[in-house]
Amino acid sequence: TTLGASAAARDSRVFGTAVAASKLSDTAYTTILNREFNAVTPENEMKIDATEPQRGQFSYGNADRIVAHARGQGMRVRGHTLAWHSQQPGWMQSLSGSTLRSAMLNHVTQVATHFKGQVAWWDVVNEAFADGSSGARRDSNLQRTGNDWIEAAFTAARAADPSAKLCYNDYNTDNWSAAKTQAVYRMVQDFKNRGVPIDCVGFQAHFTGGSSYPSNFRTTLSSFAALGVDVHITELDITNAPAAAYTSVTNDCLAVPRCRAITVWGIRDSDSWRSGESPLLFTSSGGKKAAYTAVLTALNNG
Ligand code: G3I
């Protein structure tokens, strides 16, 4: 009868949503959140600029509020995100080289330690690969500290919170034939071969319309899963929320035993970062859209 309960009935999957701390006082919002979802991802509150606004001074108020709300409702938390080229505070943007490397690792250690035991999955590293056909790493101040910055972040996160599942998260990695998808696949394969601690891969799944959803998405999910990692759909939204595309994405996850989680990137259309695109499952006034019914039906029967 709800997204979370129906996902839980499918081999204990979770159905989550991005949550903004500023909306936890909106009862129309929390009514849907508490009824429908069994996992949350803080939309911005665990990012580097939010948690370490000044170097060495950590700020957890809004993130703690979301974690407390989730725990009070028995929801699990996806932490997002420990290391990213974007949303860096000014002090970090201005660092480079070994100073940046150690500041990044300290950030990973401090934040993962603060939330130890409370975050089920961490997006340890977010969006580290370039778009387009190169298959290269994205250029960033973090990448310029050395190609091993990603594995260093994962190793630090594992040491800080050994029971958290550690994920790599990216976008435009849904199409199995894309160079970016293949590049991330090779990194995960290499990490597994060399014993770098990685447990899961997140596919953001920000689709710009029914037609941008790739028919080989299921192949992507199952191919990564075959490397020995769980796969998550982490930030799902689809322009104009076509019911058929939402059904397909849900069925793709259900078809892959290691696809453990689907998270939509917001609750109501008015909560979405894609303003004017109506990409979510609930209307701005909180009504269930056709896409909601499609997802629930797929969870129950797909
Ligand atoms: O909190 C400030 C507020 O004080 C200020 O008045 C206002 C003025 O612009 O900005 C507010 O911060 C904004 C924040 O969202 C909260 O609303 C930032 O400017 C804005 O850049 C930020 O956007 C977020 C974006 O990531 C950038 O980090 C979106 O909410 C969030 O949905 C989006 O999420 C990302 C994932 O983390 C990674 N994958 C892509 C996804 C979509 O871009």
Side-chain angles (χ1 to χ4, degrees):
T1 56
T2 68
L3 300 170
S6 294
R10 301 303 296 267
D11 191 25
S12 305
R13 285 177 172 82
V14 300
F15 205 103
T17 180
V19 162
S22 60
K23 293 173 184 163
L24 291 175
S25 53
D26 171 349
T27 54
Y29 180 83
T30 54
T31 297
I32 305 172
L33 170 63
N34 297 349
R35 185 185 70 219
E36 296 288 343
F37 298 96
N38 58 2
V40 298
T41 304
E43 187 173 1
N44 290 295
E45 293 79 353
M46 289 185 179
K47 291 173 180 175
I48 313 173
D49 58 354
T51 50
E52 194 177 358
Q54 305 297 328
R55 188 174 180 185
Q57 291 177 22
F58 292 83
S59 166
Y60 296 116
N62 284 328
D64 283 344
R65 274 186 272 285
I66 293 175
V67 170
H69 185 95
R71 286 165 67 84
Q73 296 289 326
M75 301 167 173
R76 284 189 273 173
V77 179
R78 290 192 92 263
H80 174 80
T81 176
L82 295 171
W84 191 21
H85 68 276
S86 183
Q87 300 295 112
Q88 292 183 1
W91 65 265
M92 184 177 273
Q93 291 177 38
S94 67
L95 296 184
S96 63
S98 59
T99 317
L100 174 61
R101 175 67 71 99
S102 57
M104 179 274 285
L105 293 176
N106 181 58
H107 181 85
V108 170
T109 299
Q110 296 294 325
V111 177
T113 299
H114 176 81
F115 292 106
K116 185 174 181 175
Q118 304 185 75
V119 166
W121 308 272
W122 270 112
D123 287 335
V124 178
V125 170
N126 195 40
E127 301 175 357
F129 281 79
D131 291 310
S133 58
S134 70
R137 294 283 184 85
R138 175 193 298 275
D139 181 52
S140 72
N141 62 346
L142 292 168
Q143 180 62 27
R144 289 191 291 273
T145 72
N147 207 50
D148 60 344
W149 74 275
I150 298 178
E151 61 195 81
F154 274 86
T155 302
R158 176 71 94 225
D161 186 354
S163 63
K165 300 293 185 194
L166 306 181
C167 305
Y168 175 78
N169 190 53
D170 214 329
Y171 66 90
N172 283 352
T173 48
D174 320 287
N175 191 323
W176 179 238
S177 350
K180 189 173 176 181
T181 308
Q182 291 295 315
V184 174
Y185 178 85
R186 286 192 298 272
M187 178 189 74
V188 175
Q189 186 176 47
D190 172 55
F191 281 11
K192 294 301 285 184
N193 285 341
R194 290 191 295 113
V196 175
I198 185 168
D199 305 302
C200 37
V201 176
F203 299 84
Q204 294 185 9
H206 293 295
F207 296 123
T208 51
S211 59
S212 85
Y213 155 76
S215 57
N216 61 19
F217 187 40
R218 190 178 299 192
T219 301
T220 302
L221 296 176
S222 61
S223 299
F224 275 83
L227 293 175
V229 289
D230 286 344
V231 292
H232 295 177
I233 295 165
T234 52
E235 304 182 15
L236 178 61
D237 51 22
I238 313 178
T239 309
N240 297 322
Y246 265 106
T247 296
S248 297
V249 172
T250 305
N251 284 332
D252 288 343
C253 182
L254 292 170
V256 177
R258 291 199 78 144
C259 183
R260 306 307 313 156
I262 300 175
T263 297
V264 287
W265 205 240
I267 299 177
R268 304 161 302 193
D269 285 333
S270 51
D271 302 316
S272 174
W273 67 295
R274 300 168 75 169
S275 85
E277 292 190 35
S278 305
L280 295 174
L281 301 181
F282 294 87
T283 66
S284 296
S285 50
K288 295 171 180 173
K289 295 167 62 176
Y292 170 92
T293 308
V295 170
L296 187 66
T297 301
L299 289 172
N300 289 335
N301 307 316

